[in-house]
Amino acid sequence: MLTTISGFDRIGEENAFAVLARANELGAQGRDIINLGIGQPDFETPDHIVEAAIKALKDGHHGYTAATGIAPLREAVAVDIVKRTGVEISPERVVIVPGGKVTMFAAILMFGESGAEILYPDPGFPIYRSMIEFTGATPVPVPIREENGFAFSADELLGLISDRTRLVIVNSPANPCGGVTPKAEVDKLVAGLERYPHVAVLSDEIYGQMTYDGEAHVSILSYPQIRDRLILLDGWSKIYAMTGWRLGYSLWPDALFDKMCKLAVNAWSCVNAPTQYAGLAALTGPQDAVGEMVAEFDARRKLVVDGLNAIPGVSCLMPKGAFYAFPNIRETGWQAKPLASALLEEAGVALIGGPDFGILGEGYMRVSYANSRENIARALKRMETFLARGAVAKRE
Ligand code: PLP
C-alpha cells in the first residue's frame, strides 16, 4: 500500500477536461457533437507566432533558458504592461511560466497550509479551490452573484477576511461568469485591504484584454499601494490562442520573487525555449489577430445571449468579458449537472454545469462561445428542442 500525503485525497480537477474527453469519445463514435464546453479559443495561433517558434528551433534554441525566462521576453512583457495599463514595472519582477495555471499553483502553494485561509471566487476557476484544499488551507468562497452582474462585491469580500487569511484570489474578467469588476469596486477593495497588511493578493487577469461594450478592464497593478503584496497572473493562452503552447507570466513582489525562482528551478527549470520566442513574437508583432478575435467573440456573445434568452426557462445576463455566458436555468426545473450530461448524451451539445465552478454555480450553466456562429446557432436550436421536449415530458 503506497501512502501519499493527504493533500492528494483532497485535490480536485477541472471537469471541462472530462467533458472534452467525453465529447471527443462521442465524436469518435460518429456522433455530431457541438462543443461549447471548452475554455479555449477556436482560432489558430497567428502564423507569425508559429514561424517565430520554428525559427527559434532552426536557430538552435534547444537548451535550458534562465528559470525566469529569456531576457527579451521579460522586457517585452514589461513594455506590453506599460502599453496596456500605463504602469511601469521592472522586467526583473517578471517570471515566465509554463501556462497561467502555474502562477496560481505557485501562489497558493506559497500561502496555503493547515490553519491558513484563502479567499477565492465562487463560482470561479475550479483549480483555485482544488489547490487550496491540496495545501490543507481552508477555502473561503467569495460569492459571485448574478445580481451584482457577476462581479465580486468588495464589501462582502472584505467582510470574509480574518486573522488567518493569507491570500485573496480575484479574477476579472471572470471565468466562468464573464463578469468584469467595475473600477469603483476595485477601488473599494484596494482601500479596504489597507486594513489587512498581512494579506497577499493574486489577481488573475488572463482575460484582461477580452472586454466588450467599451467596458474597461481595471488591472489591480494600477494601485501602487498594494504592489508590494500583489501577484499578477497573465499569459498568452487566451488572447493569442496559445493554450497548447503552455506559456504564461507572473509578476511577483520583491518579498516573494526569490521564492518563486527557487520553485521554478525545483519544478520546471524553464519554459521550453522556442515557445518563449513565440511569445516574444506575439507581444512585439502585429496585433491585428487579437482585435479580430475579440471582435468575433463580441458578435458571438450577442448571438449566444439572445439565443439563450429566447429559450423558455433560461435567462442570461450579457457578459462583459472573457468568452463565456452563464445562463440561469432554474426555471427549466433541471439541476445543472444532470442537464449538462443530458444535453451532451442526448442532444450532442457539450456545456459545463455551474456546480463544476463552485457551490454557488447550481442553477447555472457555463456556455463557452469559442465555437463558430454556425455551430452556436445549431447548439442553441438543439438546446431549445431538447428543453421543450423535456417540458412536454414533464407535463405528461
Ligand atoms: N485563469 C483562468 C481564470 C482561466 O480560465 C484559465 C484557463 O482556463 C487559466 C487561468 C489557466 O490558463 P493556462 O491555460 O494558461 O494555464
Side-chain angles (χ1 to χ4, degrees), residues 14 39 98-102 104 125 128 171 173-175 204 206-207 233 235-238 243 246-248 324 366:
E14 195 182 341
K101 257 181 189 168
V102 174
M104 72 183 74
F125 190 56
Y128 303 141
N171 171 221
N175 178 8
D204 182 342
I206 200 138
Y207 298 100
L233 180 163
W236 286 257
S237 295
K238 314 288 174 173
T243 52
R246 308 314 298 139
L247 183 64
Y324 309 108
R366 188 187 79 170

PDB file of all heavy atoms in Angstrom, residues 14 39 98-102 104 125 128 171 173-175 204 206-207 233 235-238 243 246-248 324 366, ligand 1:
ATOM      1  N   GLU A  14     -10.540  19.685 -13.058  1.00  0.00           N
ATOM      2  CA  GLU A  14     -11.245  20.666 -13.878  1.00  0.00           C
ATOM      3  C   GLU A  14     -12.150  19.857 -14.799  1.00  0.00           C
ATOM      4  O   GLU A  14     -11.678  19.204 -15.725  1.00  0.00           O
ATOM      5  CB  GLU A  14     -10.210  21.479 -14.671  1.00  0.00           C
ATOM      6  CG  GLU A  14     -10.780  22.724 -15.268  1.00  0.00           C
ATOM      7  CD  GLU A  14      -9.752  23.482 -16.094  1.00  0.00           C
ATOM      8  OE1 GLU A  14      -8.533  23.277 -15.936  1.00  0.00           O
ATOM      9  OE2 GLU A  14     -10.191  24.286 -16.924  1.00  0.00           O
ATOM     10  N   GLY A  39     -12.763  25.878 -22.600  1.00  0.00           N
ATOM     11  CA  GLY A  39     -12.359  27.284 -22.463  1.00  0.00           C
ATOM     12  C   GLY A  39     -11.116  27.609 -23.249  1.00  0.00           C
ATOM     13  O   GLY A  39     -10.128  28.063 -22.681  1.00  0.00           O
ATOM     14  N   PRO A  98       5.220  28.035 -17.441  1.00  0.00           N
ATOM     15  CA  PRO A  98       4.530  27.186 -18.425  1.00  0.00           C
ATOM     16  C   PRO A  98       3.004  27.194 -18.263  1.00  0.00           C
ATOM     17  O   PRO A  98       2.394  26.211 -17.838  1.00  0.00           O
ATOM     18  CB  PRO A  98       5.119  25.796 -18.181  1.00  0.00           C
ATOM     19  CG  PRO A  98       5.748  25.845 -16.838  1.00  0.00           C
ATOM     20  CD  PRO A  98       5.973  27.263 -16.452  1.00  0.00           C
ATOM     21  N   GLY A  99       2.379  28.313 -18.567  1.00  0.00           N
ATOM     22  CA  GLY A  99       0.913  28.420 -18.516  1.00  0.00           C
ATOM     23  C   GLY A  99       0.447  29.221 -17.313  1.00  0.00           C
ATOM     24  O   GLY A  99       1.116  29.281 -16.274  1.00  0.00           O
ATOM     25  N   GLY A 100      -0.730  29.839 -17.475  1.00  0.00           N
ATOM     26  CA  GLY A 100      -1.284  30.667 -16.403  1.00  0.00           C
ATOM     27  C   GLY A 100      -1.497  29.884 -15.112  1.00  0.00           C
ATOM     28  O   GLY A 100      -1.305  30.407 -14.009  1.00  0.00           O
ATOM     29  N   LYS A 101      -1.873  28.633 -15.245  1.00  0.00           N
ATOM     30  CA  LYS A 101      -2.152  27.812 -14.072  1.00  0.00           C
ATOM     31  C   LYS A 101      -0.967  27.725 -13.115  1.00  0.00           C
ATOM     32  O   LYS A 101      -1.137  27.569 -11.915  1.00  0.00           O
ATOM     33  CB  LYS A 101      -2.467  26.383 -14.535  1.00  0.00           C
ATOM     34  CG  LYS A 101      -3.906  26.031 -14.526  1.00  0.00           C
ATOM     35  CD  LYS A 101      -4.082  24.589 -14.980  1.00  0.00           C
ATOM     36  CE  LYS A 101      -5.551  24.301 -15.186  1.00  0.00           C
ATOM     37  NZ  LYS A 101      -5.768  23.034 -15.885  1.00  0.00           N
ATOM     38  N   VAL A 102       0.228  27.784 -13.676  1.00  0.00           N
ATOM     39  CA  VAL A 102       1.415  27.598 -12.853  1.00  0.00           C
ATOM     40  C   VAL A 102       1.555  28.738 -11.838  1.00  0.00           C
ATOM     41  O   VAL A 102       2.018  28.531 -10.709  1.00  0.00           O
ATOM     42  CB  VAL A 102       2.666  27.466 -13.764  1.00  0.00           C
ATOM     43  CG1 VAL A 102       3.939  27.406 -12.951  1.00  0.00           C
ATOM     44  CG2 VAL A 102       2.518  26.233 -14.634  1.00  0.00           C
ATOM     45  N   MET A 104      -0.956  30.317 -10.389  1.00  0.00           N
ATOM     46  CA  MET A 104      -1.888  30.087  -9.261  1.00  0.00           C
ATOM     47  C   MET A 104      -1.396  28.942  -8.397  1.00  0.00           C
ATOM     48  O   MET A 104      -1.470  28.995  -7.169  1.00  0.00           O
ATOM     49  CB  MET A 104      -3.336  29.914  -9.731  1.00  0.00           C
ATOM     50  CG  MET A 104      -3.678  28.659 -10.415  1.00  0.00           C
ATOM     51  SD  MET A 104      -5.402  28.612 -10.984  1.00  0.00           S
ATOM     52  CE  MET A 104      -5.417  29.696 -12.371  1.00  0.00           C
ATOM     53  N   PHE A 125     -12.810  29.695 -11.252  1.00  0.00           N
ATOM     54  CA  PHE A 125     -11.975  28.682 -11.908  1.00  0.00           C
ATOM     55  C   PHE A 125     -11.715  27.560 -10.889  1.00  0.00           C
ATOM     56  O   PHE A 125     -11.240  27.822  -9.786  1.00  0.00           O
ATOM     57  CB  PHE A 125     -10.680  29.352 -12.361  1.00  0.00           C
ATOM     58  CG  PHE A 125      -9.829  28.491 -13.248  1.00  0.00           C
ATOM     59  CD1 PHE A 125     -10.333  27.959 -14.414  1.00  0.00           C
ATOM     60  CD2 PHE A 125      -8.506  28.236 -12.920  1.00  0.00           C
ATOM     61  CE1 PHE A 125      -9.546  27.168 -15.240  1.00  0.00           C
ATOM     62  CE2 PHE A 125      -7.713  27.450 -13.735  1.00  0.00           C
ATOM     63  CZ  PHE A 125      -8.230  26.923 -14.901  1.00  0.00           C
ATOM     64  N   TYR A 128      -8.590  26.948  -8.322  1.00  0.00           N
ATOM     65  CA  TYR A 128      -8.297  27.726  -7.096  1.00  0.00           C
ATOM     66  C   TYR A 128      -8.628  26.877  -5.873  1.00  0.00           C
ATOM     67  O   TYR A 128      -7.807  26.654  -4.996  1.00  0.00           O
ATOM     68  CB  TYR A 128      -9.135  29.013  -7.015  1.00  0.00           C
ATOM     69  CG  TYR A 128      -9.036  29.992  -8.161  1.00  0.00           C
ATOM     70  CD1 TYR A 128     -10.184  30.660  -8.611  1.00  0.00           C
ATOM     71  CD2 TYR A 128      -7.821  30.291  -8.765  1.00  0.00           C
ATOM     72  CE1 TYR A 128     -10.117  31.587  -9.644  1.00  0.00           C
ATOM     73  CE2 TYR A 128      -7.753  31.214  -9.797  1.00  0.00           C
ATOM     74  CZ  TYR A 128      -8.910  31.859 -10.238  1.00  0.00           C
ATOM     75  OH  TYR A 128      -8.856  32.765 -11.256  1.00  0.00           O
ATOM     76  N   ASN A 171     -10.471  37.492  -9.815  1.00  0.00           N
ATOM     77  CA  ASN A 171     -10.382  37.180 -11.245  1.00  0.00           C
ATOM     78  C   ASN A 171     -11.378  38.046 -12.004  1.00  0.00           C
ATOM     79  O   ASN A 171     -12.573  37.922 -11.831  1.00  0.00           O
ATOM     80  CB  ASN A 171     -10.694  35.677 -11.444  1.00  0.00           C
ATOM     81  CG  ASN A 171     -10.856  35.266 -12.898  1.00  0.00           C
ATOM     82  OD1 ASN A 171     -11.739  34.485 -13.244  1.00  0.00           O
ATOM     83  ND2 ASN A 171     -10.024  35.772 -13.766  1.00  0.00           N
ATOM     84  N   PRO A 173     -11.525  40.065 -16.074  1.00  0.00           N
ATOM     85  CA  PRO A 173     -12.789  39.420 -16.425  1.00  0.00           C
ATOM     86  C   PRO A 173     -12.767  37.953 -15.983  1.00  0.00           C
ATOM     87  O   PRO A 173     -11.716  37.324 -15.974  1.00  0.00           O
ATOM     88  CB  PRO A 173     -12.841  39.540 -17.952  1.00  0.00           C
ATOM     89  CG  PRO A 173     -11.918  40.683 -18.291  1.00  0.00           C
ATOM     90  CD  PRO A 173     -10.849  40.649 -17.259  1.00  0.00           C
ATOM     91  N   ALA A 174     -13.969  37.456 -15.678  1.00  0.00           N
ATOM     92  CA  ALA A 174     -14.015  36.199 -14.938  1.00  0.00           C
ATOM     93  C   ALA A 174     -14.459  34.989 -15.753  1.00  0.00           C
ATOM     94  O   ALA A 174     -15.323  35.075 -16.613  1.00  0.00           O
ATOM     95  CB  ALA A 174     -14.940  36.369 -13.753  1.00  0.00           C
ATOM     96  N   ASN A 175     -13.858  33.885 -15.405  1.00  0.00           N
ATOM     97  CA  ASN A 175     -14.312  32.564 -15.796  1.00  0.00           C
ATOM     98  C   ASN A 175     -14.993  31.996 -14.545  1.00  0.00           C
ATOM     99  O   ASN A 175     -14.396  32.061 -13.486  1.00  0.00           O
ATOM    100  CB  ASN A 175     -13.091  31.701 -16.168  1.00  0.00           C
ATOM    101  CG  ASN A 175     -13.448  30.284 -16.534  1.00  0.00           C
ATOM    102  OD1 ASN A 175     -14.597  29.926 -16.662  1.00  0.00           O
ATOM    103  ND2 ASN A 175     -12.417  29.463 -16.697  1.00  0.00           N
ATOM    104  N   ASP A 204      -5.912  37.311 -11.059  1.00  0.00           N
ATOM    105  CA  ASP A 204      -5.876  36.519 -12.285  1.00  0.00           C
ATOM    106  C   ASP A 204      -6.500  37.360 -13.397  1.00  0.00           C
ATOM    107  O   ASP A 204      -7.710  37.540 -13.458  1.00  0.00           O
ATOM    108  CB  ASP A 204      -6.658  35.217 -12.042  1.00  0.00           C
ATOM    109  CG  ASP A 204      -6.646  34.284 -13.252  1.00  0.00           C
ATOM    110  OD1 ASP A 204      -6.341  34.754 -14.359  1.00  0.00           O
ATOM    111  OD2 ASP A 204      -6.963  33.085 -13.079  1.00  0.00           O
ATOM    112  N   ILE A 206      -6.016  36.882 -16.770  1.00  0.00           N
ATOM    113  CA  ILE A 206      -5.721  36.193 -18.033  1.00  0.00           C
ATOM    114  C   ILE A 206      -6.687  36.592 -19.160  1.00  0.00           C
ATOM    115  O   ILE A 206      -6.356  36.470 -20.332  1.00  0.00           O
ATOM    116  CB  ILE A 206      -5.659  34.658 -17.828  1.00  0.00           C
ATOM    117  CG1 ILE A 206      -4.891  34.006 -18.980  1.00  0.00           C
ATOM    118  CG2 ILE A 206      -7.038  34.038 -17.667  1.00  0.00           C
ATOM    119  CD1 ILE A 206      -3.956  32.933 -18.597  1.00  0.00           C
ATOM    120  N   TYR A 207      -7.880  37.099 -18.784  1.00  0.00           N
ATOM    121  CA  TYR A 207      -8.825  37.571 -19.812  1.00  0.00           C
ATOM    122  C   TYR A 207      -8.832  39.096 -19.903  1.00  0.00           C
ATOM    123  O   TYR A 207      -9.794  39.688 -20.410  1.00  0.00           O
ATOM    124  CB  TYR A 207     -10.248  37.075 -19.492  1.00  0.00           C
ATOM    125  CG  TYR A 207     -10.374  35.569 -19.490  1.00  0.00           C
ATOM    126  CD1 TYR A 207     -10.371  34.846 -18.291  1.00  0.00           C
ATOM    127  CD2 TYR A 207     -10.484  34.854 -20.680  1.00  0.00           C
ATOM    128  CE1 TYR A 207     -10.478  33.463 -18.287  1.00  0.00           C
ATOM    129  CE2 TYR A 207     -10.587  33.467 -20.675  1.00  0.00           C
ATOM    130  CZ  TYR A 207     -10.581  32.780 -19.483  1.00  0.00           C
ATOM    131  OH  TYR A 207     -10.683  31.408 -19.481  1.00  0.00           O
ATOM    132  N   LEU A 233      -1.273  37.389 -12.396  1.00  0.00           N
ATOM    133  CA  LEU A 233      -1.274  36.206 -13.281  1.00  0.00           C
ATOM    134  C   LEU A 233      -1.772  36.648 -14.658  1.00  0.00           C
ATOM    135  O   LEU A 233      -2.850  37.237 -14.781  1.00  0.00           O
ATOM    136  CB  LEU A 233      -2.206  35.141 -12.694  1.00  0.00           C
ATOM    137  CG  LEU A 233      -2.395  33.791 -13.410  1.00  0.00           C
ATOM    138  CD1 LEU A 233      -2.996  32.773 -12.443  1.00  0.00           C
ATOM    139  CD2 LEU A 233      -3.173  33.829 -14.683  1.00  0.00           C
ATOM    140  N   GLY A 235      -0.990  35.782 -19.254  1.00  0.00           N
ATOM    141  CA  GLY A 235      -0.343  34.843 -20.162  1.00  0.00           C
ATOM    142  C   GLY A 235      -0.868  34.952 -21.576  1.00  0.00           C
ATOM    143  O   GLY A 235      -1.669  35.834 -21.884  1.00  0.00           O
ATOM    144  N   TRP A 236      -0.433  34.032 -22.391  1.00  0.00           N
ATOM    145  CA  TRP A 236      -0.690  34.072 -23.828  1.00  0.00           C
ATOM    146  C   TRP A 236      -1.844  33.161 -24.263  1.00  0.00           C
ATOM    147  O   TRP A 236      -2.323  33.260 -25.378  1.00  0.00           O
ATOM    148  CB  TRP A 236       0.585  33.618 -24.566  1.00  0.00           C
ATOM    149  CG  TRP A 236       1.712  34.601 -24.581  1.00  0.00           C
ATOM    150  CD1 TRP A 236       2.068  35.398 -25.650  1.00  0.00           C
ATOM    151  CD2 TRP A 236       2.644  34.893 -23.544  1.00  0.00           C
ATOM    152  NE1 TRP A 236       3.171  36.158 -25.305  1.00  0.00           N
ATOM    153  CE2 TRP A 236       3.540  35.876 -24.035  1.00  0.00           C
ATOM    154  CE3 TRP A 236       2.823  34.448 -22.236  1.00  0.00           C
ATOM    155  CZ2 TRP A 236       4.587  36.395 -23.268  1.00  0.00           C
ATOM    156  CZ3 TRP A 236       3.855  34.973 -21.473  1.00  0.00           C
ATOM    157  CH2 TRP A 236       4.717  35.931 -21.984  1.00  0.00           C
ATOM    158  N   SER A 237      -2.246  32.236 -23.367  1.00  0.00           N
ATOM    159  CA  SER A 237      -3.157  31.160 -23.775  1.00  0.00           C
ATOM    160  C   SER A 237      -4.400  31.653 -24.485  1.00  0.00           C
ATOM    161  O   SER A 237      -4.766  31.151 -25.545  1.00  0.00           O
ATOM    162  CB  SER A 237      -3.593  30.347 -22.554  1.00  0.00           C
ATOM    163  OG  SER A 237      -2.502  29.694 -21.994  1.00  0.00           O
ATOM    164  N   LYS A 238      -5.073  32.618 -23.884  1.00  0.00           N
ATOM    165  CA  LYS A 238      -6.384  33.007 -24.402  1.00  0.00           C
ATOM    166  C   LYS A 238      -6.244  34.071 -25.491  1.00  0.00           C
ATOM    167  O   LYS A 238      -6.796  33.931 -26.574  1.00  0.00           O
ATOM    168  CB  LYS A 238      -7.264  33.544 -23.266  1.00  0.00           C
ATOM    169  CG  LYS A 238      -7.239  32.693 -21.997  1.00  0.00           C
ATOM    170  CD  LYS A 238      -7.975  31.378 -22.132  1.00  0.00           C
ATOM    171  CE  LYS A 238      -7.776  30.529 -20.880  1.00  0.00           C
ATOM    172  NZ  LYS A 238      -8.559  29.337 -20.829  1.00  0.00           N
ATOM    173  N   THR A 243      -3.266  28.090 -26.113  1.00  0.00           N
ATOM    174  CA  THR A 243      -3.457  27.242 -24.917  1.00  0.00           C
ATOM    175  C   THR A 243      -2.514  26.039 -24.882  1.00  0.00           C
ATOM    176  O   THR A 243      -2.050  25.654 -23.816  1.00  0.00           O
ATOM    177  CB  THR A 243      -4.911  26.733 -24.827  1.00  0.00           C
ATOM    178  OG1 THR A 243      -5.257  26.133 -26.074  1.00  0.00           O
ATOM    179  CG2 THR A 243      -5.897  27.838 -24.513  1.00  0.00           C
ATOM    180  N   ARG A 246       1.584  26.256 -23.669  1.00  0.00           N
ATOM    181  CA  ARG A 246       1.886  26.362 -22.246  1.00  0.00           C
ATOM    182  C   ARG A 246       2.862  27.515 -21.979  1.00  0.00           C
ATOM    183  O   ARG A 246       4.065  27.332 -21.817  1.00  0.00           O
ATOM    184  CB  ARG A 246       2.434  25.040 -21.670  1.00  0.00           C
ATOM    185  CG  ARG A 246       1.593  23.818 -21.961  1.00  0.00           C
ATOM    186  CD  ARG A 246       0.100  24.048 -21.705  1.00  0.00           C
ATOM    187  NE  ARG A 246      -0.206  24.364 -20.324  1.00  0.00           N
ATOM    188  CZ  ARG A 246      -1.112  25.306 -19.985  1.00  0.00           C
ATOM    189  NH1 ARG A 246      -1.772  25.978 -20.903  1.00  0.00           N
ATOM    190  NH2 ARG A 246      -1.337  25.543 -18.725  1.00  0.00           N
ATOM    191  N   LEU A 247       2.301  28.691 -21.971  1.00  0.00           N
ATOM    192  CA  LEU A 247       3.114  29.893 -21.767  1.00  0.00           C
ATOM    193  C   LEU A 247       2.307  30.930 -20.992  1.00  0.00           C
ATOM    194  O   LEU A 247       1.192  31.284 -21.381  1.00  0.00           O
ATOM    195  CB  LEU A 247       3.532  30.465 -23.130  1.00  0.00           C
ATOM    196  CG  LEU A 247       4.451  31.677 -23.118  1.00  0.00           C
ATOM    197  CD1 LEU A 247       5.815  31.336 -22.498  1.00  0.00           C
ATOM    198  CD2 LEU A 247       4.679  32.202 -24.543  1.00  0.00           C
ATOM    199  N   GLY A 248       2.861  31.381 -19.892  1.00  0.00           N
ATOM    200  CA  GLY A 248       2.215  32.424 -19.106  1.00  0.00           C
ATOM    201  C   GLY A 248       3.283  33.276 -18.429  1.00  0.00           C
ATOM    202  O   GLY A 248       4.485  33.007 -18.583  1.00  0.00           O
ATOM    203  N   TYR A 324     -17.352  33.558 -22.131  1.00  0.00           N
ATOM    204  CA  TYR A 324     -18.322  32.658 -21.517  1.00  0.00           C
ATOM    205  C   TYR A 324     -19.619  33.391 -21.212  1.00  0.00           C
ATOM    206  O   TYR A 324     -19.591  34.552 -20.790  1.00  0.00           O
ATOM    207  CB  TYR A 324     -17.788  32.121 -20.190  1.00  0.00           C
ATOM    208  CG  TYR A 324     -16.402  31.545 -20.278  1.00  0.00           C
ATOM    209  CD1 TYR A 324     -15.314  32.217 -19.718  1.00  0.00           C
ATOM    210  CD2 TYR A 324     -16.177  30.335 -20.931  1.00  0.00           C
ATOM    211  CE1 TYR A 324     -14.032  31.696 -19.807  1.00  0.00           C
ATOM    212  CE2 TYR A 324     -14.897  29.807 -21.017  1.00  0.00           C
ATOM    213  CZ  TYR A 324     -13.821  30.495 -20.457  1.00  0.00           C
ATOM    214  OH  TYR A 324     -12.563  29.976 -20.545  1.00  0.00           O
ATOM    215  N   ARG A 366     -22.257  26.913 -17.783  1.00  0.00           N
ATOM    216  CA  ARG A 366     -21.286  27.735 -18.498  1.00  0.00           C
ATOM    217  C   ARG A 366     -21.312  27.379 -19.972  1.00  0.00           C
ATOM    218  O   ARG A 366     -21.139  26.226 -20.350  1.00  0.00           O
ATOM    219  CB  ARG A 366     -19.861  27.548 -17.979  1.00  0.00           C
ATOM    220  CG  ARG A 366     -18.919  28.578 -18.624  1.00  0.00           C
ATOM    221  CD  ARG A 366     -17.474  28.350 -18.298  1.00  0.00           C
ATOM    222  NE  ARG A 366     -16.891  27.273 -19.098  1.00  0.00           N
ATOM    223  CZ  ARG A 366     -15.599  26.986 -19.144  1.00  0.00           C
ATOM    224  NH1 ARG A 366     -14.742  27.686 -18.403  1.00  0.00           N
ATOM    225  NH2 ARG A 366     -15.139  25.990 -19.883  1.00  0.00           N
TER     226      ARG A 366
HETATM  227  N1  PLP B   1      -7.133  31.508 -15.075  1.00  0.00           N
HETATM  228  C1  PLP B   1      -8.373  31.396 -15.560  1.00  0.00           C
HETATM  229  C2  PLP B   1      -9.449  32.231 -14.959  1.00  0.00           C
HETATM  230  C3  PLP B   1      -8.647  30.519 -16.600  1.00  0.00           C
HETATM  231  O1  PLP B   1      -9.886  30.417 -17.087  1.00  0.00           O
HETATM  232  C4  PLP B   1      -7.595  29.716 -17.104  1.00  0.00           C
HETATM  233  C5  PLP B   1      -7.844  28.731 -18.180  1.00  0.00           C
HETATM  234  O2  PLP B   1      -8.938  28.346 -18.497  1.00  0.00           O
HETATM  235  C6  PLP B   1      -6.335  29.864 -16.553  1.00  0.00           C
HETATM  236  C7  PLP B   1      -6.134  30.776 -15.552  1.00  0.00           C
HETATM  237  C8  PLP B   1      -5.199  28.991 -16.996  1.00  0.00           C
HETATM  238  O3  PLP B   1      -4.649  29.337 -18.190  1.00  0.00           O
HETATM  239  P1  PLP B   1      -3.498  28.459 -18.853  1.00  0.00           P
HETATM  240  O4  PLP B   1      -4.144  27.601 -19.882  1.00  0.00           O
HETATM  241  O5  PLP B   1      -2.546  29.463 -19.438  1.00  0.00           O
HETATM  242  O6  PLP B   1      -2.847  27.651 -17.792  1.00  0.00           O
END
